[in-house]
PDB file of all heavy atoms in Angstrom:
ATOM      1  N   GLU A  78       0.890  -1.202   0.013  1.00 90.00           N
ATOM      2  CA  GLU A  78      -0.046   0.031  -0.059  1.00 90.00           C
ATOM      3  C   GLU A  78       0.760   1.220   0.003  1.00 90.00           C
ATOM      4  O   GLU A  78       2.127   1.184   0.287  1.00 90.00           O
ATOM      5  CB  GLU A  78      -0.971  -0.039   1.212  1.00 90.00           C
ATOM      6  CG  GLU A  78      -0.235   0.022   2.459  1.00 90.00           C
ATOM      7  CD  GLU A  78      -1.230  -0.008   3.694  1.00 90.00           C
ATOM      8  OE1 GLU A  78      -2.538   0.173   3.564  1.00 90.00           O
ATOM      9  OE2 GLU A  78      -0.817  -0.169   4.833  1.00 90.00           O
ATOM     10  N   GLU A  79       0.266   2.357  -0.207  1.00 90.00           N
ATOM     11  CA  GLU A  79       0.948   3.669  -0.342  1.00 90.00           C
ATOM     12  C   GLU A  79       1.620   3.842   0.995  1.00 90.00           C
ATOM     13  O   GLU A  79       0.903   3.662   2.196  1.00 90.00           O
ATOM     14  CB  GLU A  79      -0.038   4.676  -0.591  1.00 90.00           C
ATOM     15  CG  GLU A  79       0.353   6.138  -0.549  1.00 90.00           C
ATOM     16  CD  GLU A  79      -0.773   7.150  -0.782  1.00 90.00           C
ATOM     17  OE1 GLU A  79      -1.788   6.727  -1.109  1.00 90.00           O
ATOM     18  OE2 GLU A  79      -0.519   8.356  -0.549  1.00 90.00           O
ATOM     19  N   GLU A  80       2.727   4.478   1.073  1.00 91.00           N
ATOM     20  CA  GLU A  80       3.405   4.891   2.394  1.00 91.00           C
ATOM     21  C   GLU A  80       2.717   6.248   2.739  1.00 91.00           C
ATOM     22  O   GLU A  80       2.727   7.163   1.890  1.00 91.00           O
ATOM     23  CB  GLU A  80       4.828   5.089   2.153  1.00 91.00           C
ATOM     24  CG  GLU A  80       5.580   5.519   3.419  1.00 91.00           C
ATOM     25  CD  GLU A  80       7.187   5.637   3.201  1.00 91.00           C
ATOM     26  OE1 GLU A  80       7.568   5.721   2.262  1.00 91.00           O
ATOM     27  OE2 GLU A  80       7.767   5.788   4.298  1.00 91.00           O
ATOM     28  N   LEU A  81       2.315   6.308   4.004  1.00 92.00           N
ATOM     29  CA  LEU A  81       1.788   7.476   4.536  1.00 92.00           C
ATOM     30  C   LEU A  81       2.877   8.183   5.386  1.00 92.00           C
ATOM     31  O   LEU A  81       3.425   7.683   6.312  1.00 92.00           O
ATOM     32  CB  LEU A  81       0.584   7.252   5.438  1.00 92.00           C
ATOM     33  CG  LEU A  81      -0.594   6.612   4.700  1.00 92.00           C
ATOM     34  CD1 LEU A  81      -1.771   6.425   5.659  1.00 92.00           C
ATOM     35  CD2 LEU A  81      -1.152   7.434   3.438  1.00 92.00           C
ATOM     36  N   VAL A  82       3.185   9.524   4.902  1.00 94.00           N
ATOM     37  CA  VAL A  82       4.251  10.293   5.751  1.00 94.00           C
ATOM     38  C   VAL A  82       3.543  11.360   6.572  1.00 94.00           C
ATOM     39  O   VAL A  82       2.794  12.002   6.014  1.00 94.00           O
ATOM     40  CB  VAL A  82       5.247  10.900   4.619  1.00 94.00           C
ATOM     41  CG1 VAL A  82       6.245  11.643   5.350  1.00 94.00           C
ATOM     42  CG2 VAL A  82       5.787   9.637   3.807  1.00 94.00           C
ATOM     43  N   GLY A  83       3.962  11.402   7.637  1.00 93.00           N
ATOM     44  CA  GLY A  83       3.388  12.515   8.576  1.00 93.00           C
ATOM     45  C   GLY A  83       2.989  11.853   9.976  1.00 93.00           C
ATOM     46  O   GLY A  83       3.386  10.688  10.262  1.00 93.00           O
ATOM     47  N   GLU A  84       2.380  12.581  10.691  1.00 91.00           N
ATOM     48  CA  GLU A  84       1.914  12.111  12.116  1.00 91.00           C
ATOM     49  C   GLU A  84       0.660  11.126  11.892  1.00 91.00           C
ATOM     50  O   GLU A  84      -0.276  11.389  11.319  1.00 91.00           O
ATOM     51  CB  GLU A  84       1.451  13.321  12.970  1.00 91.00           C
ATOM     52  CG  GLU A  84       1.050  12.851  14.392  1.00 91.00           C
ATOM     53  CD  GLU A  84       0.447  13.910  15.206  1.00 91.00           C
ATOM     54  OE1 GLU A  84       0.350  15.093  14.713  1.00 91.00           O
ATOM     55  OE2 GLU A  84       0.101  13.689  16.305  1.00 91.00           O
ATOM     56  N   PHE A  85       0.993   9.900  12.434  1.00 91.00           N
ATOM     57  CA  PHE A  85       0.018   8.885  12.379  1.00 91.00           C
ATOM     58  C   PHE A  85      -0.896   8.987  13.508  1.00 91.00           C
ATOM     59  O   PHE A  85      -0.473   8.884  14.678  1.00 91.00           O
ATOM     60  CB  PHE A  85       0.816   7.511  12.296  1.00 91.00           C
ATOM     61  CG  PHE A  85      -0.177   6.271  11.875  1.00 91.00           C
ATOM     62  CD1 PHE A  85      -0.349   6.022  10.527  1.00 91.00           C
ATOM     63  CD2 PHE A  85      -0.873   5.527  12.691  1.00 91.00           C
ATOM     64  CE1 PHE A  85      -1.096   5.107  10.119  1.00 91.00           C
ATOM     65  CE2 PHE A  85      -1.629   4.472  12.405  1.00 91.00           C
ATOM     66  CZ  PHE A  85      -1.747   4.233  11.101  1.00 91.00           C
ATOM     67  N   VAL A  86      -2.219   8.999  13.239  1.00 89.00           N
ATOM     68  CA  VAL A  86      -3.193   9.278  14.389  1.00 89.00           C
ATOM     69  C   VAL A  86      -4.250   8.201  14.386  1.00 89.00           C
ATOM     70  O   VAL A  86      -4.761   7.777  13.170  1.00 89.00           O
ATOM     71  CB  VAL A  86      -3.861  10.769  14.141  1.00 89.00           C
ATOM     72  CG1 VAL A  86      -4.951  10.921  15.257  1.00 89.00           C
ATOM     73  CG2 VAL A  86      -2.893  11.862  14.217  1.00 89.00           C
ATOM     74  N   LYS A  87      -4.607   7.635  15.590  1.00 87.00           N
ATOM     75  CA  LYS A  87      -5.674   6.699  15.650  1.00 87.00           C
ATOM     76  C   LYS A  87      -6.954   7.569  15.993  1.00 87.00           C
ATOM     77  O   LYS A  87      -7.092   8.042  17.113  1.00 87.00           O
ATOM     78  CB  LYS A  87      -5.265   5.751  16.703  1.00 87.00           C
ATOM     79  CG  LYS A  87      -6.220   4.507  16.887  1.00 87.00           C
ATOM     80  CD  LYS A  87      -5.627   3.563  17.814  1.00 87.00           C
ATOM     81  CE  LYS A  87      -6.236   2.246  17.747  1.00 87.00           C
ATOM     82  NZ  LYS A  87      -5.840   1.381  16.716  1.00 87.00           N
ATOM     83  N   TYR A  88      -7.877   7.666  15.111  1.00 84.00           N
ATOM     84  CA  TYR A  88      -9.102   8.377  15.332  1.00 84.00           C
ATOM     85  C   TYR A  88     -10.141   7.701  16.030  1.00 84.00           C
ATOM     86  O   TYR A  88     -11.036   8.122  16.662  1.00 84.00           O
ATOM     87  CB  TYR A  88      -9.721   8.894  13.925  1.00 84.00           C
ATOM     88  CG  TYR A  88      -8.741   9.851  13.263  1.00 84.00           C
ATOM     89  CD1 TYR A  88      -7.940   9.590  12.030  1.00 84.00           C
ATOM     90  CD2 TYR A  88      -8.493  11.088  13.817  1.00 84.00           C
ATOM     91  CE1 TYR A  88      -7.233  10.381  11.443  1.00 84.00           C
ATOM     92  CE2 TYR A  88      -7.627  12.025  13.248  1.00 84.00           C
ATOM     93  CZ  TYR A  88      -6.924  11.604  11.936  1.00 84.00           C
ATOM     94  OH  TYR A  88      -6.094  12.421  11.340  1.00 84.00           O
ATOM     95  N   SER A  89     -10.247   6.337  15.863  1.00 76.00           N
ATOM     96  CA  SER A  89     -11.224   5.496  16.536  1.00 76.00           C
ATOM     97  C   SER A  89     -10.489   4.201  17.003  1.00 76.00           C
ATOM     98  O   SER A  89      -9.504   3.847  16.428  1.00 76.00           O
ATOM     99  CB  SER A  89     -12.445   5.282  15.639  1.00 76.00           C
ATOM    100  OG  SER A  89     -12.151   4.388  14.673  1.00 76.00           O
ATOM    101  N   VAL A  90     -11.093   3.485  17.820  1.00 59.00           N
ATOM    102  CA  VAL A  90     -10.574   2.231  18.393  1.00 59.00           C
ATOM    103  C   VAL A  90     -11.315   0.996  17.773  1.00 59.00           C
ATOM    104  O   VAL A  90     -12.600   1.258  17.378  1.00 59.00           O
ATOM    105  CB  VAL A  90     -10.457   2.203  19.863  1.00 59.00           C
ATOM    106  CG1 VAL A  90      -9.406   3.293  20.288  1.00 59.00           C
ATOM    107  CG2 VAL A  90     -11.787   2.532  20.520  1.00 59.00           C
ATOM    108  N   ARG A  91     -10.672  -0.087  17.790  1.00 52.00           N
ATOM    109  CA  ARG A  91     -11.149  -1.250  17.159  1.00 52.00           C
ATOM    110  C   ARG A  91     -12.501  -1.755  17.885  1.00 52.00           C
ATOM    111  O   ARG A  91     -13.241  -2.583  17.320  1.00 52.00           O
ATOM    112  CB  ARG A  91     -10.129  -2.382  17.217  1.00 52.00           C
ATOM    113  CG  ARG A  91     -10.270  -3.484  16.448  1.00 52.00           C
ATOM    114  CD  ARG A  91      -9.131  -4.443  16.491  1.00 52.00           C
ATOM    115  NE  ARG A  91      -7.969  -3.771  16.152  1.00 52.00           N
ATOM    116  CZ  ARG A  91      -6.725  -4.216  16.671  1.00 52.00           C
ATOM    117  NH1 ARG A  91      -6.700  -5.268  17.482  1.00 52.00           N
ATOM    118  NH2 ARG A  91      -5.685  -3.370  16.307  1.00 52.00           N
ATOM    119  N   ASP A  92     -12.554  -1.553  19.131  1.00 49.00           N
ATOM    120  CA  ASP A  92     -13.656  -2.150  19.847  1.00 49.00           C
ATOM    121  C   ASP A  92     -15.054  -1.427  19.779  1.00 49.00           C
ATOM    122  O   ASP A  92     -15.880  -1.739  20.585  1.00 49.00           O
ATOM    123  CB  ASP A  92     -13.378  -2.435  21.251  1.00 49.00           C
ATOM    124  CG  ASP A  92     -12.974  -1.114  22.086  1.00 49.00           C
ATOM    125  OD1 ASP A  92     -13.212  -0.035  21.450  1.00 49.00           O
ATOM    126  OD2 ASP A  92     -12.643  -1.149  23.347  1.00 49.00           O
ATOM    127  N   GLY A  93     -15.192  -0.613  18.936  1.00 46.00           N
ATOM    128  CA  GLY A  93     -16.476   0.163  18.635  1.00 46.00           C
ATOM    129  C   GLY A  93     -16.594   1.424  19.452  1.00 46.00           C
ATOM    130  O   GLY A  93     -17.748   1.989  19.406  1.00 46.00           O
ATOM    131  N   LYS A  94     -15.719   1.774  20.372  1.00 49.00           N
ATOM    132  CA  LYS A  94     -15.934   2.999  21.174  1.00 49.00           C
ATOM    133  C   LYS A  94     -15.772   4.205  20.195  1.00 49.00           C
ATOM    134  O   LYS A  94     -15.323   4.147  19.050  1.00 49.00           O
ATOM    135  CB  LYS A  94     -14.769   3.088  22.183  1.00 49.00           C
ATOM    136  CG  LYS A  94     -15.059   2.050  23.221  1.00 49.00           C
ATOM    137  CD  LYS A  94     -14.039   2.093  24.445  1.00 49.00           C
ATOM    138  CE  LYS A  94     -14.299   1.190  25.466  1.00 49.00           C
ATOM    139  NZ  LYS A  94     -13.299   1.194  26.426  1.00 49.00           N
ATOM    140  N   GLU A  95     -16.265   5.224  20.710  1.00 47.00           N
ATOM    141  CA  GLU A  95     -16.271   6.505  19.933  1.00 47.00           C
ATOM    142  C   GLU A  95     -14.773   6.850  19.500  1.00 47.00           C
ATOM    143  O   GLU A  95     -13.802   6.412  20.135  1.00 47.00           O
ATOM    144  CB  GLU A  95     -16.839   7.665  20.724  1.00 47.00           C
ATOM    145  CG  GLU A  95     -16.990   8.944  20.185  1.00 47.00           C
ATOM    146  CD  GLU A  95     -17.789   8.988  18.862  1.00 47.00           C
ATOM    147  OE1 GLU A  95     -19.012   8.652  18.997  1.00 47.00           O
ATOM    148  OE2 GLU A  95     -17.177   9.096  17.848  1.00 47.00           O
ATOM    149  N   VAL A  96     -14.768   7.890  18.594  1.00 48.00           N
ATOM    150  CA  VAL A  96     -13.441   8.380  18.182  1.00 48.00           C
ATOM    151  C   VAL A  96     -12.684   8.881  19.392  1.00 48.00           C
ATOM    152  O   VAL A  96     -13.142   9.288  20.458  1.00 48.00           O
ATOM    153  CB  VAL A  96     -13.614   9.716  17.366  1.00 48.00           C
ATOM    154  CG1 VAL A  96     -12.445  10.419  17.020  1.00 48.00           C
ATOM    155  CG2 VAL A  96     -14.173   9.275  16.035  1.00 48.00           C
ATOM    156  N   ASN A  97     -11.307   8.531  19.366  1.00 51.00           N
ATOM    157  CA  ASN A  97     -10.377   8.902  20.450  1.00 51.00           C
ATOM    158  C   ASN A  97     -10.640  10.272  20.997  1.00 51.00           C
ATOM    159  O   ASN A  97     -10.778  11.213  20.270  1.00 51.00           O
ATOM    160  CB  ASN A  97      -8.943   8.817  19.785  1.00 51.00           C
ATOM    161  CG  ASN A  97      -7.775   9.160  20.835  1.00 51.00           C
ATOM    162  OD1 ASN A  97      -8.056   9.902  21.781  1.00 51.00           O
ATOM    163  ND2 ASN A  97      -6.706   8.610  20.531  1.00 51.00           N
ATOM    164  N   PHE A  98     -10.916  10.258  22.302  1.00 52.00           N
ATOM    165  CA  PHE A  98     -11.353  11.644  23.016  1.00 52.00           C
ATOM    166  C   PHE A  98     -10.343  12.821  22.595  1.00 52.00           C
ATOM    167  O   PHE A  98     -10.636  13.923  22.530  1.00 52.00           O
ATOM    168  CB  PHE A  98     -11.486  11.438  24.362  1.00 52.00           C
ATOM    169  CG  PHE A  98     -12.833  10.697  24.608  1.00 52.00           C
ATOM    170  CD1 PHE A  98     -12.743   9.372  25.270  1.00 52.00           C
ATOM    171  CD2 PHE A  98     -14.088  11.144  24.352  1.00 52.00           C
ATOM    172  CE1 PHE A  98     -13.932   8.736  25.486  1.00 52.00           C
ATOM    173  CE2 PHE A  98     -15.250  10.559  24.589  1.00 52.00           C
ATOM    174  CZ  PHE A  98     -15.110   9.317  25.208  1.00 52.00           C
ATOM    175  N   LEU A  99      -9.034  12.410  22.545  1.00 48.00           N
ATOM    176  CA  LEU A  99      -8.023  13.478  22.290  1.00 48.00           C
ATOM    177  C   LEU A  99      -8.077  13.995  20.815  1.00 48.00           C
ATOM    178  O   LEU A  99      -7.712  15.121  20.550  1.00 48.00           O
ATOM    179  CB  LEU A  99      -6.684  12.931  22.505  1.00 48.00           C
ATOM    180  CG  LEU A  99      -6.328  12.518  23.861  1.00 48.00           C
ATOM    181  CD1 LEU A  99      -4.928  11.911  23.977  1.00 48.00           C
ATOM    182  CD2 LEU A  99      -6.504  13.649  24.837  1.00 48.00           C
ATOM    183  N   ARG A 100      -8.650  13.143  19.898  1.00 60.00           N
ATOM    184  CA  ARG A 100      -8.802  13.594  18.618  1.00 60.00           C
ATOM    185  C   ARG A 100     -10.190  13.923  18.035  1.00 60.00           C
ATOM    186  O   ARG A 100     -10.353  14.266  16.898  1.00 60.00           O
ATOM    187  CB  ARG A 100      -8.289  12.475  17.718  1.00 60.00           C
ATOM    188  CG  ARG A 100      -6.820  12.052  18.030  1.00 60.00           C
ATOM    189  CD  ARG A 100      -5.769  13.090  17.779  1.00 60.00           C
ATOM    190  NE  ARG A 100      -4.547  12.542  18.164  1.00 60.00           N
ATOM    191  CZ  ARG A 100      -3.463  13.339  18.303  1.00 60.00           C
ATOM    192  NH1 ARG A 100      -3.511  14.573  18.041  1.00 60.00           N
ATOM    193  NH2 ARG A 100      -2.259  12.763  18.579  1.00 60.00           N
ATOM    194  N   ARG A 101     -11.106  13.864  18.979  1.00 62.00           N
ATOM    195  CA  ARG A 101     -12.564  14.022  18.607  1.00 62.00           C
ATOM    196  C   ARG A 101     -12.866  15.391  18.024  1.00 62.00           C
ATOM    197  O   ARG A 101     -13.655  15.633  17.180  1.00 62.00           O
ATOM    198  CB  ARG A 101     -13.476  13.729  19.725  1.00 62.00           C
ATOM    199  CG  ARG A 101     -14.938  13.792  19.391  1.00 62.00           C
ATOM    200  CD  ARG A 101     -15.698  13.241  20.593  1.00 62.00           C
ATOM    201  NE  ARG A 101     -15.579  14.138  21.681  1.00 62.00           N
ATOM    202  CZ  ARG A 101     -15.960  13.843  22.969  1.00 62.00           C
ATOM    203  NH1 ARG A 101     -16.571  12.670  23.128  1.00 62.00           N
ATOM    204  NH2 ARG A 101     -15.811  14.570  23.888  1.00 62.00           N
ATOM    205  N   ASP A 102     -12.183  16.452  18.522  1.00 71.00           N
ATOM    206  CA  ASP A 102     -12.390  17.804  18.094  1.00 71.00           C
ATOM    207  C   ASP A 102     -11.765  18.128  16.802  1.00 71.00           C
ATOM    208  O   ASP A 102     -11.997  19.257  16.193  1.00 71.00           O
ATOM    209  CB  ASP A 102     -12.027  18.683  19.172  1.00 71.00           C
ATOM    210  CG  ASP A 102     -12.845  18.603  20.443  1.00 71.00           C
ATOM    211  OD1 ASP A 102     -14.027  18.186  20.217  1.00 71.00           O
ATOM    212  OD2 ASP A 102     -12.372  18.895  21.551  1.00 71.00           O
ATOM    213  N   SER A 103     -10.835  17.369  16.343  1.00 86.00           N
ATOM    214  CA  SER A 103     -10.187  17.654  14.986  1.00 86.00           C
ATOM    215  C   SER A 103     -11.117  17.402  13.834  1.00 86.00           C
ATOM    216  O   SER A 103     -12.074  16.663  14.001  1.00 86.00           O
ATOM    217  CB  SER A 103      -8.893  16.817  14.811  1.00 86.00           C
ATOM    218  OG  SER A 103      -9.239  15.481  14.489  1.00 86.00           O
ATOM    219  N   GLU A 104     -10.968  18.168  12.736  1.00 91.00           N
ATOM    220  CA  GLU A 104     -11.827  17.968  11.629  1.00 91.00           C
ATOM    221  C   GLU A 104     -11.718  16.544  11.140  1.00 91.00           C
ATOM    222  O   GLU A 104     -12.761  15.923  10.728  1.00 91.00           O
ATOM    223  CB  GLU A 104     -11.393  18.963  10.458  1.00 91.00           C
ATOM    224  CG  GLU A 104     -12.278  18.869   9.243  1.00 91.00           C
ATOM    225  CD  GLU A 104     -11.723  19.675   8.054  1.00 91.00           C
ATOM    226  OE1 GLU A 104     -10.950  20.629   8.335  1.00 91.00           O
ATOM    227  OE2 GLU A 104     -12.240  19.570   7.042  1.00 91.00           O
ATOM    228  N   ALA A 105     -10.666  15.926  11.019  1.00 91.00           N
ATOM    229  CA  ALA A 105     -10.442  14.595  10.456  1.00 91.00           C
ATOM    230  C   ALA A 105     -11.120  13.583  11.398  1.00 91.00           C
ATOM    231  O   ALA A 105     -11.858  12.719  10.951  1.00 91.00           O
ATOM    232  CB  ALA A 105      -8.974  14.241  10.303  1.00 91.00           C
TER     233      ALA A 105
END
């Protein structure tokens, strides 16, 4: 797959919980 360059962010978790609370306010 394409290499992604930059800060890698986990927006949501695998177990169905809401988007990571630290990242929830970001546009992405």
Side-chain angles (χ1 to χ4, degrees):
E78 64 183 347
E79 174 186 349
E80 180 182 12
L81 299 180
V82 179
E84 183 187 356
F85 196 85
V86 178
K87 194 171 188 79
Y88 296 111
S89 71
V90 291
R91 188 180 311 154
D92 64 1
K94 290 183 181 172
E95 183 57 73
V96 166
N97 179 333
F98 288 112
L99 297 174
R100 306 294 179 189
R101 186 173 59 193
D102 294 333
S103 72
E104 180 183 349

